[in-house]
């Protein structure tokens, strides 16, 4: 684990509560997504005869000597390829990052250190990050890379923005104009590009299907929140008498320090993990 469990609560009960609640979102995201697909695309669903169907595109490596040739029905097939390894690595990193982020937010809430505005923004951005994982999984699975770099630009910029948001979720960390403008700037770019890309035609002009409208709204709403709520925080800074531009001492703390505040350690570890993964997947 990235952090010692004892740093997440003063009692064993609090720690167990944090760990238990942290499992929920990573565990429920994919089932909810597939259920949504089923709701919108149930007319396209085919009934599968498990006794008669077969798959000749499976290399059967992970079954070894137990099964070879044309395979019978399986709920999940995977081939022993480099691309399958990339898909596995991407999924593991996504789950770990999501789990650690949720654990940190819950811990901050239990310690009454949670900045609500930043928490709302971060929770709203879960779907765009999940969609990023889903896109890259499908790009790999279909070997379709036409939109790879286009999606990668969105993913990297959103990753940096979310790291800043997660850092500011801790009220012990001061908000500054530079940090808030960093979040707002990335969100403005996303809003402009998304509007030109699909949002205007699919949503405002009504040319998209219902699932496309919901998808585009799920992208646009978090970006708008990334603009509105940081702007409100900026207004608070302007009217606050105690506003200070001093650097927070936590920024100078070493990685993995034993401080009672785990936020910076989580942010740095997750940032390094995400950056190395994206760079590795790009050049593999």
């Amino acid at each position: 684990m990235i952090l010692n469990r004892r740093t997440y609560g003063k009692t064993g009960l609090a720690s167990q509560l944090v760990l238990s609640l942290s499992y929920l979102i990573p565990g429920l995201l994919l089932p909810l997504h597939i259920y949504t697909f089923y709701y919108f695309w149930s007319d396209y669903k085919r009934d599968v005869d498990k006794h008669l169907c077969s798959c000749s595109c499976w290399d059967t490596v992970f079954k070894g000597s137990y099964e070879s040739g044309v395979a019978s029905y399986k709920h999940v097939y995977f081939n022993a390829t480099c691309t399958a390894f990339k898909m596995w690595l991407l999924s593991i990193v996504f789950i770990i990052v999501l789990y650690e982020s949720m654990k940190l937010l819950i811990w901050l809430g239990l310690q009454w250190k949670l900045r609500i505005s930043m928490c709302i923004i971060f929770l709203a951005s879960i779907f765009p990050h999940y969609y990023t994982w889903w896109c890259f999984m499908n790009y790999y699975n279909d070997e379709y890379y036409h939109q790879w770099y286009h999606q990668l630009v969105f993913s990297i910029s959103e990753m940096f923005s979310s790291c800043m948001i997660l850092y500011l979720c801790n009220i012990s960390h001061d908000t500054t104009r530079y940090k808030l403008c960093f979040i707002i700037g990335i969100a403005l770019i996303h809003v402009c590009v998304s509007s030109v890309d699909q949002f205007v035609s699919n949503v405002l002009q009504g040319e998209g299907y219902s699932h496309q409208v919901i998808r585009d709204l799920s992208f646009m709403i978090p970006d708008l929140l990334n603009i509105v709520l940081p702007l409100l925080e900026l207004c608070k800074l302007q009217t606050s008498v105690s506003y200070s531009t001093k650097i927070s001492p936590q920024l100078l703390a070493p990685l993995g320090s034993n401080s009672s505040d785990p936020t910076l350690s989580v942010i740095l570890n997750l940032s390094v993990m995400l950056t190395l993964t994206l760079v590795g997947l790009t050049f593999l």
Side-chain angles (χ1 to χ4, degrees):
M1 291 180 63
I2 292 178
L3 294 173
N4 191 314
R5 293 188 181 187
R6 287 176 291 182
T7 64
Y8 280 94
K10 296 181 179 179
T11 65
L13 180 61
S15 298
Q16 292 303 318
L17 178 62
V18 169
L19 293 173
S20 299
L21 294 177
S22 303
Y23 297 139
L24 288 179
I25 292 183
L28 295 178
L29 264 181
L30 184 60
L32 289 174
H33 186 197
I34 299 302
Y35 175 79
T36 304
F37 277 165
Y38 186 87
Y39 177 80
F40 284 108
W41 294 339
S42 58
D43 294 339
Y44 301 98
K45 180 181 180 297
R46 292 190 306 152
D47 293 327
V48 177
D49 190 332
K50 298 181 181 180
H51 301 288
L52 298 179
C53 70
S54 61
C55 178
S56 60
C57 300
W58 176 38
D59 60 21
T60 70
V61 169
F62 83 86
K63 275 293 186 178
S65 60
Y66 293 99
E67 188 171 4
S68 60
V70 178
S72 59
Y73 175 84
K74 299 288 184 297
H75 291 282
V76 176
Y77 298 86
F78 70 87
N79 291 317
T81 63
C82 181
T83 300
F85 166 72
K86 296 176 187 178
M87 296 170 67
W88 168 257
L89 179 62
L90 182 66
S91 300
I92 290 298
V93 170
F94 174 79
I95 293 172
I96 292 175
V97 170
L98 180 59
Y99 166 73
E100 290 291 340
S101 301
M102 292 300 100
K103 188 167 65 172
L104 176 61
L105 290 179
I106 296 170
W107 180 84
L108 290 173
L110 292 176
Q111 299 295 318
W112 299 98
K113 294 182 178 180
L114 188 63
R115 181 176 280 113
I116 301 300
S117 59
M118 294 295 112
C119 179
I120 292 173
I121 296 175
F122 188 84
L123 293 178
S125 68
I126 289 178
F127 175 77
H129 286 297
Y130 171 80
Y131 188 82
T132 293
W133 168 80
W134 183 255
C135 283
F136 285 129
M137 287 289 288
N138 280 277
Y139 293 159
Y140 278 134
N141 200 36
D142 300 336
E143 295 190 349
Y144 173 81
Y145 302 109
H146 181 67
Q147 295 288 331
W148 177 272
Y149 291 104
H150 177 76
Q151 182 63 43
L152 191 63
V153 172
F154 275 94
S155 303
I156 292 177
S157 58
E158 198 157 37
M159 178 189 71
F160 286 123
S161 177
S162 294
C163 287
M164 179 63 74
I165 292 168
L166 189 60
Y167 177 78
L168 294 178
C169 282
N170 191 336
I171 59 175
S172 301
H173 300 154
D174 295 332
T175 55
T176 67
R177 283 176 290 182
Y178 300 106
K179 297 173 186 176
L180 295 173
C181 287
F182 177 79
I183 298 171
I184 294 171
I186 292 177
L188 283 172
I189 295 174
H190 286 185
V191 168
C192 294
V193 175
S194 298
S195 298
V196 175
D197 191 12
Q198 291 179 328
F199 185 81
V200 172
S201 59
N202 287 345
V203 180
L204 299 183
Q205 296 178 354
E207 297 177 359
Y209 294 103
S210 56
H211 69 275
Q212 292 175 321
V213 172
I214 293 176
R215 179 200 62 191
D216 293 340
L217 285 173
S218 299
F219 291 150
M220 185 61 69
I221 291 174
D223 286 330
L224 294 177
L225 288 175
N226 279 18
I227 297 172
V228 174
L229 294 182
L231 282 176
L232 294 177
E233 292 290 335
L234 277 175
C235 293
K236 292 180 183 179
L237 287 179
Q238 296 297 330
T239 57
S240 176
V241 179
S242 61
Y243 171 71
S244 173
T245 58
K246 292 183 179 180
I247 298 177
S248 177
Q250 284 86 348
L251 290 176
L252 302 177
L255 182 64
S257 64
N258 294 324
S259 170
S260 59
D261 176 15
T263 311
L264 184 60
S265 180
V266 170
I267 300 298
L268 292 176
N269 279 285
L270 297 187
S271 299
V272 171
M273 183 186 300
L274 284 168
T275 303
L276 291 177
T277 301
L278 288 174
V279 171
L281 291 175
T282 301
F283 292 102
L284 277 177

